[in-house]
Amino acid sequence: MAKKTTQGELVVARNRKARHDYLIEDTYEAGLALMGTEVKALRMGRASLTDGFAIFYGDELYLEGVHIPEYVQGTWTNHTPRRRRKLLLHRSELDKMAVKVQGSGRTIVPLSLYFKNGRAKVEIAVATGKREYDKRHALRERQDRRETDRAIFGRGRD
């Protein structure tokens, strides 16, 4: 099921792998143009952002690769699980993102999918892909920080 956060947002899905694979530069909150059965499936807490990305078609931004499974009680009006979904942003935000993505190595990835005041929102980020050694370096820093915290606060067995 979806988790309720302190701000009154109902988080449906998070893309934890994106923070590991990409260096996040800027984040934006965007609305989603969804079908009725997609909203019902999201309210049940079912979605996956792991393979998701956003891409420009003309001057509009679309979310692709996000899996929202079919609604169980849906009929012939059910949606396709991995269909292209339009992102709703202000024109100025779209223009800024388009300029940033024009540079090599940048992409737009979804970070989380949630409900805010009853409306489906997605947090997207302009990101640069990390190299393998960057990922190992970040993991090593996290482990070192954890070990120093244990040593300082006396939680370790040594």
Side-chain angles (χ1 to χ4, degrees):
M1 284 306 286
K3 283 187 174 178
K4 190 97 169 178
T5 63
T6 57
Q7 296 92 3
E9 296 174 353
L10 185 68
V11 177
V12 177
R14 291 190 193 278
N15 190 357
R16 297 183 313 190
K17 188 176 178 185
R19 295 200 187 269
H20 176 71
D21 290 343
Y22 297 98
L23 179 66
I24 307 299
E25 295 177 15
D26 289 328
T27 60
Y28 298 92
E29 181 181 69
L32 281 165
L34 297 173
M35 296 175 63
T37 54
E38 289 174 319
V39 176
K40 289 181 178 187
L42 286 177
R43 290 199 189 278
M44 291 176 60
R46 302 175 63 199
S48 174
L49 298 174
T50 52
D51 297 331
F53 63 96
I55 190 166
F56 280 96
Y57 288 103
D59 59 350
E60 299 292 337
L61 188 63
Y62 289 89
L63 189 64
E64 293 200 8
V66 173
H67 186 267
I68 300 174
E70 290 185 354
Y71 182 58
V72 182
Q73 280 103 13
T75 58
W76 56 273
T77 60
N78 235 334
H79 63 277
T80 309
R82 288 197 184 268
R83 77 177 188 92
R84 183 182 301 156
R85 295 168 181 92
K86 185 177 178 179
L87 292 175
L88 307 174
L89 288 153
H90 290 282
R91 174 58 46 201
S92 61
E93 292 176 328
L94 286 171
D95 293 340
K96 286 179 196 174
M97 289 173 57
V99 169
K100 289 179 183 177
V101 172
Q102 291 295 328
S104 63
R106 289 196 179 123
T107 187
I108 303 171
V109 293
L111 298 178
S112 64
L113 184 61
Y114 54 93
F115 283 98
K116 183 176 182 180
N117 299 327
R119 300 190 187 273
K121 303 284 184 179
V122 62
E123 182 182 16
I124 57 175
V126 175
T128 306
K130 285 185 183 176
R131 301 259 193 258
E132 198 64 36
Y133 58 83
D134 290 333
K135 295 177 193 177
R136 285 193 302 265
H137 183 68
L139 183 63
R140 182 67 190 170
E141 282 181 352
R142 204 173 319 126
Q143 288 174 345
D144 290 344
R145 196 173 329 115
R146 193 176 303 133
E147 288 173 6
T148 56
D149 288 345
R150 283 185 186 147
I152 291 171
F153 296 114
R155 291 197 178 117
R157 294 184 184 240
D158 296 354

